[in-house]
Every structure is written in structure tokens, then in C-alpha cells.
Amino acid sequence: MSQASVNESAVDESRLLIVGLGLIGGSLAAALRAAGFQGEIMACDPDAREIERGIEMGLIDGGSTRLAEQAPAASMIVLAVPVLAMESVMGELATLNPTLAGQVVTDVGSTKAAIRDAALKVFGHMPPTLVLGHPIAGSEKSGVAAANSTLYVDHNVILTPEAETDAGALARVRALWQACGAQVLEMDVSRHDEVLAQTSHLPHLLAFSLVDTLARQDQRLDIFRYAAGGFRDFTRIAGSDPVMWRDIFTANREAVLSSLDDFERGLARLRTAVETGDGDAMLATFDRASHARHYFESLLNKTSYQTEYAMQSQGQVTYRVRPGGSAQGSVRVPGDKSISHRSIMLGALAEGVTTVTGFLEGEDSLATLQAFREMGVAIEGPHQGRVVIHGVGMHGLQAPSGPIYVGNSGTAMRLFAGLLAGQAFTSELTGDESLTRRPMNRVAEPLRAMGAVIDTAEGGRPPLHIHGGASLKGMYYDMPVASAQVKSCLLLAGLYADGETRVREPAPTRDHTERMLGGFGYQVERQGDTCWLNGGERLTAGAIDVPADISSATFFMVAAAITPDADLTLEHVGINPTRIGVINILTLMGANLELVNEREIGGEPVADIRVRYAPLTGIDIPVAQVPLAIDEFPALFIAAANASGTTRLRGAAELRVKESDRLQAMADGLATLGVEHRLLDEGIDIVGNGDAQTPSYGGGRIDSLGDHRIAMAFAVAALRAGDDIVIDNCANVATSFPDFIELATRIGMTLDAERAGGEG
Ligand code: S3P
């Protein structure tokens, strides 16, 4: 909230008395002044110099060291004294006005049970106009000189009303803090004390203890002189007011001790990990903590977690790929993106704990994971592809505190749309710049037909606003485009719909949603081109082993298929029949692909794929294969550029609405390399050079347009280029294939990434 809106909250107090004019009380006066508060502000403090200072600073109109002189004329009294001084101040107030009649009294103490106990002792009951509160704001500085008019802006103030609290008094205290720019929330006293013990009192205790421990060592001067940022960041709060903190630890003893016990247990676990050199245990802890810290940052800044994370990790990345190289060895590419997204979604909605292995730790699936954390789902990891999801059941998600950011992922946005349409809370889905251009009416329209209330931006683009509490009705939907995302979106909405949701697809599309729902014990039927389910059943948690992503493996299949002498094995690749268009198309072109060790893992077929070089020939790509290879065309176009004769693709208009317009982006890149081609509205003809003795094309500089698959396709093209290929805008490779460079180097390609700003 900005100061501009502060004036809107009316504080209708004729005279406000602040008892204890330190940082907190002084900042309250400063904030009210800044907000144009019309009443008088008086202060009472045992230190007359603080009062003088407050008057000089223009914060208060007057004051004195004696409460009896000030209290009777005040309409509202704010107690801003140390916690253990509250009882004696309240005692004095009680002698002046035993029931607090006609006055509202509130406090700012960091613990609440002790202050409530003091009030009960002094007054014999909780006076209805005594409203206990706690602004969660402060600084290591103390005294009125440190008063800051913006201290409370966008901070939380917790009020802890009791059953007997007067509603009018509560409203007046609420208005006071809102006028200072704070958000006011209510909690009961014991919850407040528990939460604060963990989030504020424990960190202060640790900071005091660390600084004291170091300060008592012989070389303390050196330690402080050379102290690095870590020490400074960790110990800032050890400069806080000692009396105030002594009082807090005395008053909130039980809750502090219990959070200290938890902390000591965690510390002991880490100690053992360090002692025994257990790197995995250390990594797991640091990893969880690091993600949790970014999440916390995003809550505080009211931004998306992923933006926080991406801002640190991304930047402009350019690939420089040397011509030539080999494609040898055996590699396992990262986990399947489609399955990874779905594993988190269904795991979160299931009852019980779902363990996922082989999870893709790419930016898109991490964004999905974080979105569920923001909706209250406890998720451990990911750590080396292992994620443990503590499912909350079909109706256990909580409203996220801000928009859900899904990064670059059309899949996430469309599947989330279906899932969120069935929730009781309202939500907003946003994504990166590329996603903001992609069509969402394909899901918004059928969802509306089911009863969902969804707003899109102009032209059916993101962001999507999904209104909570809509009652959904199952329906039959005949999809105009063959899209697994649309089908999955409607099936997910169908889980929450009344009756049957039935979807017909014009051509087979990936069926991971149906398979995984089945794996979670949710019945999905299929007959021919139509699948359906009934709403209102439950999902039961299970284990998911995510196979390697055939779409990522494709880049290396093509690498081996175009490079003379290549012999490359791709391990544990998912070969779901709805995904193997690339295998069918390359085989039709004459590629030597062998599926070995075929097996079924967790409801999905898997194999190792061995690819040895064989000359390729141009073909007319069967239209039925298009949806089965929809993500593989950028790489397949590179295969086509290395085949003898012409390869023709038709019926592929969908490629124009992927992460980029892939037909255009590939045509532009092929033109740069000097590959003959003809671009059509719904396809392309590519004339290849099948001569293994000469480079198939030249080099050049290509813009991937931030599309991961365009970037990786042209990187692979360099194996048969005559010169360097430089590819701009490659940061998004991390969305689906975070270790692409490492694996490409391992098979024999020579590839460097340059990050703008000079980092390697
Ligand atoms: C996906 C479906 C495909 C695909 C995308 C992932 C999925 O999109 O392009 O990368 O996980 O359902 P469409 O179904 O919209 O073609």
C-alpha cells in the first residue's frame, strides 16, 4: 500500500496517547502525521529527553513522564513499552480508569499471552476496549530518533481479540494501523506466540548467541574486522534493544523453548552430516532451505517465486557451437516434462504421500512445483530428481497469496486452468513474455461451457483470472485441434464436475493424464478417439518413476542420425505410443534406430534407444504422425536438412503457436545456414544435402527467439555445418533441458554458452 492510499482509512481519535516513545511508538506517531491524522498526539515516557526529542521532530504535540497527567484525556492509548513493563503500566491505568470505560487501549508487545495474563491480573477480566496487537515491523535501532514514518507500510499487524472484545474498539485499532499503511490480520493469542517464537524470537536468540560467542573469543577483533557479508546479514538483529529482548524471552518462554528444541534437532542432524561427510544429507537440507528462502522472499515482495528465482539465475545466454564433432556414448536425458508437470498436480490432489523419481528439474516443472507450494502443499525436494509430495486431497488446496506464475509453460497454464476452475478460491495465472502471446481460448471456452468463470486478456491471451466457487458440469467436447493440453485441462476440470466429462480428439495426442489418473486409482475410460471420466472421485497417492523425455532425447537421436560413424544410446526413454512420432519419422527417413531393453515402468513404456549413423532420405511426413511428434519438428527439420531430397511437412499449423512460431523461426534459421526450403502456412518443404563427405550447410548467427527447442535444434545442426553456429536467446533451454550443454559435450559436440555480463 502506498502512502497515498493511507489517507483513505479514517482514524477518528481526538487524542492519541503513546506510552513509551521509542522506535515503535515514535514511528506510529510519524506514520500518523504523514497520513494527515487530525487529532492530538501525546506521549508519556520515563525519559523526558525522548519526549523533548519527539516534540522537536514534530512527531508529538506534547507529553510528560507521568501517566496520570496524560491518560485521562486520551481517547486511545497505545502501550509501546517493553513487554515486562506492561503490567505496571496497565496497573496505573486501572487506578485511573478501572474498566477503561470511554477509552480504547491497545499495545504493540511482541508476545501476547503474557500481556493478556497481566491484564487479567490487573483488571480481573479482559476489559472489552483493550485490544491486544503486534505490529510485525521494527529495526535493530531504538529510540524516538530512529522513528520512521514508513516503518509499517505493507507490514502485517496482528490483532488478538478475545471473545469479549468490543467490535467498535477493534475497528478503531484496525483503522489506526491501516492508516499507517499496514495490513491488519487477526489471530488468537497462543497461535500468535507460537508463530512469533519461530519467525522472530528464535532468529534473534541465535543472532545474539552467535555474536556473543564470537565476541568472547581472543581474536575477536580480527573476526569482526574480516567478517564477511554472511556474518553481517546473519547478525544484524543482534544489535537490537537488550531489555526488550530479555522481556520477550522471559514472557514467551514456553514457545521459544519449543522452537529452540526443533532448531537444535535440525542443527544436530546437520552436525552429523558435516561430521560424517554426508554430502547428500547436506545438499538435501540446503536445497530445501534455499528454495524455501526464495519462496519466502516472493511472499514478502508479493511477486512470484519463479520470478525471484529466475531473476537471479537467468540472463541472456548465447551458444557458440563449433562445426563437426561426434555423437558417441550413452546418456540419460532429463525427465519427461509432460509427466513431471502431471506428477506434481496429481500428487498434490491425492490423498497420501507421492514419491516422484526422475523428475525434470527444469524451470517449467519447478514453477509448477512452486505453485503448489504456494497453494499450501508440502513438497520435499527436488533433490536429484526425487520429489516427495504430501497430497492434500481433492479439496485441500489453499488460495495462493498472489498470481500463480507458470514461466514459459503452455502445458502448465492450460492444465492449471482446468484444475483451478474447480476450486473454491479465485486465482490468476501468469507467465513469461512468450507465454503471454499464446492462445488460451482453446481452454477458456470449453471450461466456460462447463460452468467455469474465466477472464482472459485481450484476444484470449494470458493472464487468466479464474473465479472460485463455480459449480462445474460435465460435458462432451469435440476438440477442434488435436491437443493433449486441452484434453488434459478438461479432464482435470472434470474431476470437479458434476457427472461425466467426455473429450473426443481428432487425432491421438499424448495420454499421460489418463494413464496417471489411472495410476492414482481414478477411473478413466476410453473408446476409440474418446475418453471420459466421472467427477467427484478421489486420487490415491503412489510412486511415479518419470522416464527420460523423448522430446529431449530427440536432439541427440537427430545428432546421431546425421553424424557419420555415430553410435549413441539414449537410456530409459519414455516410448509412449502417443509420443513416438519422432521414432516413426526418422525410421521412415532411413535412420538406424534400435529399441533395446523395452519395459514398462509405472504405467509408461520405456526403452533404451540406440542410434547408429545411416544416410537419410527426404520423405513426405504422414499427417497422422504430426500430433505424435508435435514438439520434435525443430530437430526433425535439421534431420531433413541432412537428408537426400525433399522432406515435406503438412497439417502442422499448431507449430505456429508453440513457444515461438516454430515454422517461421526454423525457416529463418535454415535460411541463415543456406538450406533451401519453402515455408507454407501449415508446413514446410526442406531440401536436404545427403552428402556425408561435405558439410550440409554453412554457419551463421541465429535467433532462437527464446524458444528452447529452436536453440537446441540449431546446436545439433552444427555437427554437419561448415562453420560456427552462434545461437542467441538460449536461456530458456533450462525450461526443459537444464544440462543440455553438459550432455552435448559428453557425446562429442563442442559448445560454449556465454552469459551476458561475462559469466561463463
Ligand atoms: C503437452 C502437449 C503438447 C506439447 C507440449 C506438452 C502436454 O501441446 O506441445 O509441449 O504436456 O500436454 P498440445 O497438446 O497443445 O499440442
Side-chain angles (χ1 to χ4, degrees):
M1 191 192 284
S2 68
Q3 285 279 322
S5 57
V6 154
N7 297 323
E8 290 158 19
S9 305
V11 189
D12 197 14
E13 304 301 334
S14 54
R15 185 186 264 215
L16 182 80
L17 173 64
I18 297 171
V19 184
L21 192 64
L23 169 77
I24 296 293
S27 297
L28 172 62
L32 291 173
R33 287 279 192 238
F37 173 62
Q38 296 298 315
E40 263 183 308
I41 305 182
M42 305 299 283
C44 183
D45 195 280
D47 186 344
R49 285 167 308 179
E50 291 291 90
I51 303 278
E52 276 163 35
R53 192 76 224 273
I55 297 172
E56 272 166 32
M57 289 169 73
L59 302 181
I60 54 173
D61 298 300
S64 72
T65 55
R66 287 175 41 83
L67 190 59
E69 288 171 15
Q70 300 296 330
S75 62
M76 182 184 279
I77 302 174
V78 180
L79 307 181
V81 298
V83 170
L84 294 192
M86 291 287 179
E87 186 175 328
S88 72
V89 175
M90 284 195 279
E92 244 188 284
L93 284 181
T95 55
L96 298 167
N97 181 0
T99 58
L100 299 182
Q103 292 186 308
V104 172
V105 178
T106 185
D107 81 310
V108 300
S110 301
T111 75
K112 299 274 62 102
I115 299 176
R116 180 182 55 187
D117 289 350
L120 289 173
K121 198 161 145 202
V122 166
F123 295 99
H125 66 286
M126 268 310 267
T129 58
L130 174 58
V131 182
L132 299 185
H134 176 203
I136 315 286
S139 125
E140 71 283 10
K141 301 186 188 123
S142 37
V144 69
N148 168 5
S149 66
T150 59
L151 188 67
Y152 305 111
V153 172
D154 277 342
H155 280 62
N156 286 322
V157 172
I158 300 174
L159 302 181
T160 57
E162 303 288 332
E164 52 272 71
T165 303
D166 175 74
L170 181 62
R172 279 163 63 183
V173 176
R174 183 177 270 278
L176 176 84
W177 290 112
Q178 282 171 340
C180 301
Q183 281 134 15
V184 180
L185 43 120
E186 290 173 23
M187 224 179 244
D188 72 40
V189 162
S190 57
R191 176 88 185 117
H192 168 277
D193 286 2
E194 257 169 47
V195 169
L196 267 289
Q198 287 160 355
T199 56
S200 167
H201 306 169
L202 179 65
H204 277 84
L205 196 77
L206 303 183
F208 282 129
S209 168
L210 178 67
V211 175
D212 182 51
T213 305
L214 296 185
R216 281 193 281 130
Q217 293 182 358
D218 290 345
Q219 341 79 316
R220 64 177 180 277
L221 275 183
D222 271 357
I223 290 176
F224 289 136
R225 189 172 298 135
Y226 302 124
F231 178 82
R232 212 172 298 141
D233 288 350
F234 187 82
T235 58
R236 177 179 60 77
I237 51 179
S240 303
D241 181 358
V243 173
M244 173 174 136
W245 282 98
R246 178 210 51 197
D247 284 10
I248 290 172
F249 293 123
T250 310
N252 202 20
R253 183 166 170 270
E254 296 309 321
V256 169
L257 288 179
S258 131
S259 66
L260 195 56
D261 285 344
D262 275 353
F263 177 78
E264 282 176 350
R265 279 191 289 273
L267 199 59
R269 279 193 297 273
L270 264 183
R271 186 180 205 292
T272 309
V274 173
E275 207 166 48
T276 58
D278 186 346
D280 281 355
M282 287 187 247
L283 254 186
T285 306
F286 300 156
D287 209 49
R288 271 198 309 273
S290 164
H291 279 91
R293 184 63 183 78
H294 287 291
Y295 175 45
F296 175 63
E297 196 74 33
S298 66
L299 282 183
L300 283 185
N301 296 341
K302 300 204 166 43
T303 55
S304 123
Y305 161 85
Q306 201 63 19
T307 322
E308 295 285 336
Y309 214 64
M311 271 174 5
Q312 304 204 354
S313 59
Q314 274 204 7
Q316 287 308 334
V317 176
T318 294
Y319 286 177
R320 175 176 293 276
V321 200
R322 305 274 175 233
S326 64
Q328 300 285 341
S330 187
V331 289
R332 177 165 171 165
V333 301
D336 189 281
K337 187 146 77 91
S338 295
I339 299 178
S340 293
H341 280 303
R342 288 158 169 85
S343 68
I344 301 293
M345 293 179 179
L346 298 193
L349 296 179
E351 285 166 28
V353 177
T354 294
T355 303
V356 184
T357 45
F359 180 76
L360 167 64
E361 296 184 38
E363 283 169 7
D364 280 358
S365 36
L366 288 175
T368 291
L369 191 152
Q370 194 54 34
F372 281 98
R373 283 193 173 125
E374 292 178 24
M375 289 189 281
V377 181
I379 302 178
E380 298 171 51
H383 180 56
Q384 292 176 350
R386 187 168 185 275
V387 180
V388 179
I389 309 157
H390 298 259
V392 294
M394 292 301 293
H395 298 283
L397 295 180
Q398 295 161 18
S401 62
I404 296 174
Y405 179 81
V406 295
N408 190 241
S409 177
T411 305
M413 184 163 284
R414 295 184 180 123
L415 270 58
F416 266 119
L419 191 156
L420 292 171
Q423 305 302 321
F425 53 83
T426 294
S427 51
E428 182 182 339
L429 285 166
T430 68
D432 72 3
E433 210 228 319
S434 139
L435 188 56
T436 305
R437 291 192 297 266
R438 297 180 64 187
M440 292 299 147
N441 272 342
R442 56 179 58 195
V443 290
E445 281 166 4
L447 284 173
R448 284 186 196 122
M450 290 177 78
V453 185
I454 300 187
D455 306 320
T456 66
E458 217 183 300
R461 313 280 158 195
L464 299 183
H465 286 266
I466 302 169
H467 297 259
S471 53
L472 303 183
K473 284 216 161 31
M475 68 156 179
Y476 169 68
Y477 190 62
D478 192 355
M479 286 196 296
V481 280
S483 166
Q485 295 179 0
V486 175
K487 172 179 66 178
S488 303
C489 162
L490 299 180
L491 291 177
L492 290 175
L495 301 177
Y496 291 93
D498 202 18
E500 187 180 274
T501 299
R502 188 178 267 270
V503 186
R504 192 191 86 85
E505 47 191 4
T509 67
R510 66 193 67 190
D511 62 358
H512 306 301
T513 306
E514 299 93 298
R515 282 175 189 252
M516 203 182 287
L517 280 169
F520 278 83
Y522 206 108
Q523 217 181 339
V524 185
E525 313 279 352
R526 171 172 285 276
Q527 211 168 49
D529 54 9
T530 303
C531 62
W532 66 95
L533 54 72
N534 273 295
E537 291 175 32
R538 298 181 318 158
L539 296 167
T540 310
I544 297 176
D545 182 1
V546 182
D549 196 328
I550 191 169
S551 299
S552 298
T554 290
F555 298 102
F556 292 152
M557 285 192 233
V558 168
I562 65 174
T563 306
D565 300 326
D567 185 353
L568 182 64
T569 299
L570 295 151
E571 301 158 14
H572 203 79
V573 180
I575 51 159
N576 180 311
T578 59
R579 295 285 296 279
I580 55 169
V582 58
I583 295 179
N584 300 336
I585 294 168
L586 283 175
T587 305
L588 284 173
M589 293 175 81
N592 178 357
L593 303 182
E594 196 187 340
L595 300 190
V596 258
N597 196 11
E598 281 188 54
R599 56 218 183 261
E600 182 158 315
I601 299 217
E604 291 279 350
V606 171
D608 299 334
I609 304 178
R610 184 173 180 192
V611 190
R612 278 166 288 181
Y613 175 74
L616 300 179
T617 313
I619 59 164
D620 288 356
I621 296 173
V623 174
Q625 293 297 319
V626 172
L628 308 185
I630 193 69
D631 292 335
E632 284 58 85
F633 286 106
L636 285 169
F637 290 180
I638 300 303
N642 286 280
S644 326
T646 303
T647 297
R648 293 184 190 82
L649 172 68
R650 300 291 179 271
E654 275 295 293
L655 294 184
R656 295 212 179 257
V657 291
K658 292 294 178 188
E659 285 85 325
S660 66
D661 174 345
R662 286 186 173 156
L663 287 176
Q664 187 66 54
M666 286 305 296
D668 291 347
L670 291 173
T672 303
L673 302 186
V675 177
E676 194 185 328
H677 64 278
R678 189 163 69 99
L679 180 62
L680 306 165
D681 284 350
E682 299 197 352
I684 194 167
D685 292 345
I686 297 170
V687 184
N689 173 4
D691 179 358
Q693 308 308 315
T694 58
S696 299
Y697 31 71
R701 187 163 202 129
I702 286 165
D703 188 353
S704 79
L705 302 173
D707 183 331
H708 54 141
R709 300 200 196 281
I710 304 292
M712 289 185 276
F714 282 108
V716 165
L719 284 162
R720 301 284 300 123
D723 208 343
D724 282 5
I725 297 185
V726 177
I727 310 157
D728 286 323
N729 241 322
C730 296
N732 276 340
V733 168
T735 60
S736 66
F737 202 154
D739 49 359
F740 174 69
I741 292 183
E742 195 195 318
L743 294 191
T745 308
R746 207 188 301 163
I747 70 161
M749 292 170 56
T750 311
L751 195 163
D752 291 316
E754 294 153 15
R755 200 173 270 280
E759 288 164 49

